[in-house]
Amino acid sequence: MKIPLTFVLNHQKTTFEIDPWQTLLEVLRNQGRKTSVHRSCEEGECGACTVLLNNKPVNSCLVLAASVQGASVMTSEGLVKNGRPHPLMKAFTDELGIQCGFCTPGMLMNAYALIQDAGDTVLTDAVIRKALEGNLCRCTGYINIVKSVMVAQKSKLAGEWW
Amino acid sequence: MPDTYGNNTMMTTRPANNFIGSRAMPELVYNAPETMQDLMDLISTHGPFAKIVAGCTDFIPSIRTGRWRFDPGLNLIDISKIKALNRIENKEDILKIGAGVTLTQILTSPVVRASCPVLTQAVEQMASLQVRNTATMGGNLCMASPAADTAPPLLVSDAWVLIQDAQGSTSVPVVDFFTGPGQSILTPGQVLTHICIPKIKAKESAGFRKIGTRTAVIISIVSAAVKIRMDGDLCETARIAFGSVAPTPVRVAAAEQFLAGKPLEKRVIEKCAGMAADEISPITDLRASAVYRKDVAETLVKRCIMDCLEALT
Ligand SMILES: Cc1cc2nc3c(=O)[nH]c(=O)nc-3n(C[C@H](O)[C@H](O)[C@H](O)COP(=O)(O)OP(=O)(O)OC[C@H]3O[C@@H](n4cnc5c(N)ncnc54)[C@H](O)[C@@H]3O)c2cc1C
């Protein structure tokens, strides 16, 4: 039996008809067409499906969609504003934090939460690596990913952010 | 072969053989009670044919890998929306942690860091940020994995859990909670509601260490926790516990008793660590050999005792 699910998706109140056994990953991709949320291991190991649930990064493959009733969910599509890529996205392209791109949307969401929560505290290499330990990059482009996050935080501290 | 019966429910069947890839979720009915009363009503309606979940970080992977299989129509009871279970209560002598409290809540709680730092230490090394944001300590215990990283800290802290069913609430020491791999004393229709941990006192210190094949997002090959209480230069009492070296998380009584009344000098620490390793009989599996596990267990006990001493000076 389908059930209605209402939550805030990328700043907009949204309602979908879902099966109660669907994961948030499936609903975001199938009903929501948010295909930046990548399906990969489906066991919480890789982080490619990371989204923000009430501003906290979670693996959407390990969340039952029915449990986000009334919550707020953000995918990397939600970072784009008026067709313009978010400064975080720009940092990843400028610093070559992207190779094949498969892990990127998950990395972006985790990094976004990290930078948002850090406030004025400058993020160190160690802090960034610890925060991103649940996101695997099989191109092993971690050095540039860490650099991208640092550059993105500089943009934020310079007022270039939303 | 499933190595468990889906803990705490009667609706498990055997997984299909030779299937590689992610298995479909069973058709289920989703229930999210908001109060204890609603939870207990749901349990009494569906009885053993319901599955309780909190963070789902063990539940979903267990289905995807085929370790657990449920018949369609499974009644799922998600306890994560019950406010009464989402709190860390700072009581006079104990911390009372609700079964719905996430690992992130524990990790970031100043109260836990002050009153049970060994738990903070363990949670810091568990899973990933994304998993910690939804996973609970209640789920970690009820899953009853021999590798459950919150178990050794709770064992050395003499913690106990509160279990509720239609008859009422009972309290069980964590040391009596686990009965085998994936198995605990919980019976269908019972829910773990709280974990109660005596606060650390003056002259006490505790430490946790774990070794895996890498340092992050990994199941422990061996984990160890030690707690000591000093009386002047002598160790008054000690607690030593391991994960991943036996069918359940375990304490090693002989090694603990050996430390009592002794000065914690190098010779004593080494003897104690050797005794602790002698008391366990780990298995060889794809993560490590039994011999390696014994070696690591011995070293971890030594290091944990030294960590405790350092923290006390
Ligand atoms: C990528 C990844 C990494 C991980 N790393 C670690 C690690 O480093 N160390 C570690 O120890 N674990 C690890 N885990 C395992 C898991 O995250 C933990 O065991 C977690 O604490 C489980 O909690 P949960 O709330 O998600 O449990 P759930 O999946 O919701 O439930 C687990 C089991 O407990 C039962 N249950 C849950 N709550 C209750 C309750 N209150 N009363 C009765 N039964 C209940 C459920 O029925 C189920 O059988 C990892 C998992 C993943 C996916």
Side-chain angles (χ1 to χ4, degrees), chain B:
Chain B
M1 282 296 290
D3 55 328
T4 73
Y5 295 95
N7 325 76
N8 197 19
T9 179
M10 300 185 27
M11 292 191 65
T12 314
T13 54
R14 213 165 290 128
N17 288 329
N18 304 325
F19 180 86
I20 297 175
S22 212
R23 287 157 183 84
M25 295 289 289
E27 289 186 13
L28 54 83
V29 180
Y30 179 78
N31 304 281
E34 289 180 12
T35 63
M36 280 306 289
Q37 187 57 54
D38 291 351
L39 170 65
M40 296 323 291
D41 288 350
L42 278 164
I43 289 179
S44 68
T45 310
H46 302 296
F49 299 104
K51 180 73 178 156
I52 293 168
V53 292
C56 287
T57 68
D58 274 321
F59 174 69
I60 294 179
S62 298
I63 290 169
R64 295 300 194 198
T65 55
R67 188 171 167 213
W68 291 353
R69 207 166 112 176
F70 298 94
D71 296 333
L74 174 72
N75 261 289
L76 200 74
I77 305 179
D78 177 355
I79 62 162
S80 67
K81 315 285 184 228
I82 303 174
K83 285 209 179 62
L85 298 183
N86 283 344
R87 288 195 293 258
I88 300 177
E89 292 168 70
N90 190 7
K91 307 261 186 196
E92 196 170 333
D93 295 319
I94 63 162
L95 291 179
K96 190 173 171 192
I97 301 183
V101 170
T102 64
L103 296 181
T104 294
Q105 278 175 278
I106 294 175
L107 182 57
T108 55
S109 158
V111 171
V112 175
R113 194 175 283 272
S115 303
C116 188
V118 65
L119 183 60
T120 309
Q121 251 182 341
V123 173
E124 202 158 25
Q125 297 174 57
M126 280 175 77
S128 62
L129 175 64
Q130 289 96 317
V131 171
R132 289 193 302 268
N133 277 340
T134 50
T136 64
M137 181 154 67
N140 193 235
L141 296 179
C142 293
M143 193 66 190
S145 161
D149 283 325
T150 63
L154 295 177
L155 285 172
V156 299
S157 302
D158 293 319
W160 63 92
V161 294
L162 301 183
I163 296 171
Q164 178 124 13
D165 58 20
Q167 274 70 53
S169 181
T170 46
S171 129
V172 177
V174 174
V175 71
D176 297 329
F177 182 74
F178 305 107
T179 52
Q183 272 150 13
S184 69
I185 57 160
L186 281 185
T187 55
Q190 289 191 319
V191 56
L192 188 155
T193 59
H194 297 89
I195 298 112
C196 300
I197 317 173
K199 293 183 184 178
I200 194 143
K201 301 193 190 71
K203 299 188 180 127
E204 290 182 344
S205 180
F208 172 88
R209 281 179 179 253
K210 98 178 201 186
I211 294 283
T213 47
R214 52 172 195 262
T215 54
V217 198
I218 196 72
I219 299 179
S220 303
I221 287 174
V222 178
S223 63
V226 170
K227 180 173 176 182
I228 55 172
R229 181 189 300 148
M230 299 299 288
D231 179 10
D233 290 334
L234 302 183
C235 172
E236 192 183 327
T237 54
R239 294 274 184 279
I240 303 171
F242 290 116
S244 300
V245 301
T248 66
V250 284
R251 271 175 56 185
V252 279
E256 290 178 351
Q257 275 148 27
F258 172 77
L259 280 190
K262 298 210 173 55
L264 295 185
E265 42 195 47
K266 190 161 177 266
R267 183 181 46 84
V268 173
I269 295 173
E270 276 171 4
K271 177 92 200 294
C272 165
M275 287 175 72
D278 284 343
E279 256 182 279
I280 54 172
S281 32
I283 55 163
T284 294
D285 64 10
L286 43 97
R287 280 179 284 136
S289 69
V291 177
Y292 179 72
R293 282 199 160 94
K294 274 193 172 248
D295 266 6
V296 171
E298 184 171 344
T299 305
L300 288 187
V301 169
K302 261 189 258 180
R303 289 187 186 161
C304 282
I305 297 176
M306 282 169 353
D307 292 344
C308 290
L309 287 174
E310 202 179 301
L312 281 170
T313 50

Side-chain angles (χ1 to χ4, degrees), chain A residues 75-128:
Chain A
T75 71
S76 66
E77 283 89 346
L79 292 172
V80 178
K81 198 170 161 186
N82 305 326
R84 281 173 59 216
H86 191 276
L88 175 64
M89 295 169 159
K90 196 168 168 310
F92 268 71
T93 49
D94 288 351
E95 299 306 315
L96 305 180
I98 302 179
Q99 289 186 47
C100 81
F102 195 82
C103 71
T104 311
M107 288 279 182
L108 288 173
M109 297 325 288
N110 202 348
Y112 180 76
L114 176 67
I115 295 173
Q116 286 288 88
D117 293 347
D120 293 340
T121 317
V122 175
L123 295 166
T124 61
D125 187 273
V127 169
I128 296 169

